[in-house]
Amino acid sequence: MSSNDSSNRVISGMRPTGRLHIGHYHGCLKNWVQLQHEFECYYFVADWHALTTNFNESSKIEDFTFDTVVDWLSADINPGLSTIFVQSRVPEHAELYLLLSMITPVSWLERVPSYKDQQLKLADKDLSNLGFLGYPLLQAADILMYRAGKVPVGADQEAHVEITREVARRFNHVYGREPGFEDNALAAIKKMGKKAARQYKELRKQYLEQGDAEVLSRAQALLAEQQNLSVGDSERLFGYLEGGGRIILPEPKALLTKQARVPGLDGEKMSKSYGNTIELRETPENVEQKVRTMRTDPARVRRTDPGDPENCPVFALHQIYSDTDTLEWAVQGCKSASIGCLDCKGPLIDNINLQLAPVRERAKQFEENPDLVNTIVVEGSEHARDVARETLEEVRAAIGLSHR
Ligand code: TRP
Ligand code: SF4
């Protein structure tokens, strides 16, 4: 497929950290599930990325990868709709990473905020390795490999998408030049058919004169519809629109997920490292036990003390899982001390369990049938490789490395 389709493609990845929890679901997976109905989605487990910070704890990566895929499937990421794969099963990512490393200044990587932040935060880890410095570039290779237009991520990943755009721009600038570019572009326009060619020229002129982003996207949409352009001609015409050379690697956009802050059992952000999670595959009994022992508003020392739901992580979970009537009941009851915290937790437990029921149901199927999970990953990775090979062929050709 050509860069024509890039605006319809979505890619995102997750490092394997073991079983996922409801924080992952509301912060990310729920959105991934939605996107698969609208776009061509690629979701992968970034196992090489896990090595960048945990190279000395590599023995868990395989199990964690399996758990991650089972949780995705259980959350209803559907292999019939989306391509599910594992990064290390598509070794082409490593070649693209290497080639991109040639045009990427080290200073770009050093100034990505997560580089210094993580070194400070994970002070007990040895993060002086080249692989850690290269983390955002490996991520850029992941994204550019699929020429995906959209990358659903949380705000913490925005800087990584930004550096991806910079690397793509530089790549296109360095390798998208060709002798006779203008003549080639004009010849390509003729291949579009009279009407489309006229519209293209008109929109391009308007855009170059007025710089209107709306006009640019109309022109890009027009190009994306053209069936009879070769990949090379399509790249030329995307590039010609903006005046430069060919666009071999289109710049992606971050699709920022509104991050529902899911509180953990102690009121801090839900995170495996804090040990305050409710896992997606948690049993109903565990959900009950965990919620029953959850921290509540510290002002409610005695049952007769009124509380404030705003200061209570139980209420924050209610807001995710309960309907407005239940929320109103909790607010009233809490502020007037007419209900106790255990009363308040009851419907929350029921609602969480209700929503987790289909997830558990699907999980059971996959846990009982690991071969099925494996087949999904193998097939997804094969499909991803086909796309990756096409991109790499063009990347090599643009650099001048087609001899093999
Ligand atoms: N860095 C991402 C994270 O920690 C994971 C990731 C790796 C990723 N490659 C990616 C996300 C490509 C989106 C696209 O969450
Ligand atoms: Fe929290 Fe509900 Fe107790 Fe109020 S009554 S403090 S909202 S658990």
Side-chain angles (χ1 to χ4, degrees):
M1 248 176 263
S2 73
S3 46
N4 283 1
D5 309 294
S6 80
S7 59
N8 252 328
R9 257 198 208 155
V10 162
I11 184 143
S12 199
M14 218 186 257
R15 276 169 299 168
T17 53
R19 291 200 177 195
L20 303 182
H21 51 68
I22 60 174
H24 291 116
Y25 183 75
H26 295 286
C28 164
L29 282 177
K30 196 164 70 178
N31 186 39
W32 285 15
V33 170
Q34 282 294 322
L35 290 168
Q36 43 177 10
H37 299 289
E38 259 182 278
F39 301 107
E40 184 192 344
C41 297
Y42 290 77
Y43 298 129
F44 70 99
V45 183
D47 54 347
W48 282 341
H49 275 105
L51 278 177
T52 63
T53 52
N54 288 57
F55 57 85
N56 51 356
E57 290 168 39
S58 56
S59 61
K60 296 191 197 138
I61 291 181
E62 270 194 34
D63 285 348
F64 282 0
T65 299
F66 183 84
D67 288 338
T68 303
V69 174
V70 169
D71 281 331
W72 289 358
L73 295 167
S74 307
D76 218 8
I77 302 289
N78 181 340
L81 297 172
S82 303
T83 301
I84 299 173
F85 69 98
V86 172
Q87 186 183 37
S88 65
R89 284 182 178 267
V90 187
E92 284 77 8
H93 287 221
E95 185 177 340
L96 185 57
Y97 171 62
L98 176 114
L99 293 172
L100 296 177
S101 80
M102 305 302 170
I103 59 160
T104 305
V106 173
S107 60
W108 286 12
L109 293 167
E110 284 169 337
R111 67 155 209 246
V112 173
S114 59
Y115 183 59
K116 292 221 166 66
D117 289 356
Q118 293 282 92
Q119 281 185 329
L120 288 175
K121 230 170 102 188
L122 307 175
D124 54 322
K125 286 207 165 125
D126 178 4
L127 295 180
S128 60
N129 51 329
L130 176 57
F132 181 66
L133 177 64
Y135 186 115
L137 189 63
L138 181 56
Q139 184 162 350
D142 298 336
I143 296 168
L144 297 176
M145 187 64 101
Y146 300 91
R147 298 194 256 202
K150 299 182 171 66
V151 190
V153 284
D156 62 319
Q157 298 291 314
E158 213 177 350
H160 294 170
V161 178
E162 193 48 43
I163 191 174
T164 303
R165 293 166 59 81
E166 282 165 15
V167 170
R169 210 173 301 144
R170 183 148 178 156
F171 186 94
N172 295 327
H173 179 72
V174 175
Y175 298 117
R177 291 165 184 271
E178 57 181 356
F181 173 73
E182 176 114 21
D183 291 344
N184 292 344
L186 292 174
I189 293 176
K190 293 215 175 83
K191 296 181 194 156
M192 273 199 292
K194 278 215 176 76
K195 182 154 164 254
R198 202 182 55 237
Q199 283 176 329
Y200 175 88
K201 282 191 271 190
E202 186 53 39
L203 289 168
R204 175 174 182 272
K205 180 159 168 278
Q206 257 188 55
Y207 173 66
L208 291 179
E209 281 170 8
Q210 291 151 29
D212 184 344
E214 150 81 32
V215 174
L216 176 62
S217 50
R218 269 168 55 207
Q220 287 168 335
L222 173 73
L223 273 183
E225 285 166 17
Q226 303 306 309
Q227 303 290 337
N228 46 353
L229 287 178
S230 68
V231 175
D233 278 340
S234 170
E235 288 167 0
R236 278 179 197 103
L237 292 184
F238 273 102
Y240 191 55
L241 271 179
E242 294 172 77
R246 289 164 55 200
I247 294 184
I248 301 147
L249 300 174
E251 292 176 38
K253 288 201 176 71
L255 265 188
L256 282 193
T257 320
K258 299 187 282 318
Q259 274 183 323
R261 184 184 173 280
V262 180
L265 302 171
D266 55 0
E268 299 301 316
K269 183 181 173 292
M270 187 174 283
S271 159
K272 184 177 176 180
S273 54
Y274 299 154
N276 63 0
T277 63
I278 296 175
E279 293 179 356
L280 278 179
R281 283 185 260 166
E282 205 82 68
T283 63
E285 297 73 33
N286 272 354
V287 170
E288 174 161 11
Q289 186 264 334
K290 285 187 168 181
V291 175
R292 283 173 71 99
T293 52
M294 249 181 104
R295 195 182 72 76
T296 62
D297 178 2
R300 293 203 74 178
V301 182
R302 280 171 301 256
R303 165 71 176 75
T304 47
D305 295 330
D308 181 358
E310 293 304 317
N311 297 331
C312 177
V314 174
F315 187 71
L317 281 188
H318 257 309
Q319 287 178 305
I320 297 173
Y321 284 95
S322 300
D323 60 23
T324 46
D325 285 353
T326 311
L327 293 179
E328 219 163 280
W329 165 82
V331 172
Q332 291 299 324
C334 180
K335 289 188 168 167
S336 62
S338 65
I339 60 169
C341 289
L342 276 182
D343 303 323
C344 182
K345 288 169 172 179
L348 174 61
I349 293 168
D350 294 343
N351 291 339
I352 295 178
N353 277 330
L354 212 63
Q355 284 198 29
L356 290 185
V359 177
R360 286 188 200 109
E361 194 64 31
R362 279 186 294 263
K364 196 158 154 270
Q365 274 177 41
F366 294 112
E367 284 166 346
E368 285 168 0
N369 197 351
D371 285 349
L372 174 60
V373 179
N374 209 39
T375 305
I376 289 169
V377 169
V378 168
E379 285 177 0
S381 302
E382 274 313 307
H383 176 229
R385 277 195 95 169
D386 289 340
V387 178
R389 286 198 187 101
E390 269 185 57
T391 304
L392 261 183
E393 248 169 60
E394 281 202 54
V395 163
R396 290 192 205 109
I399 297 176
L401 288 175
S402 295
H403 63 104
R404 279 167 71 70

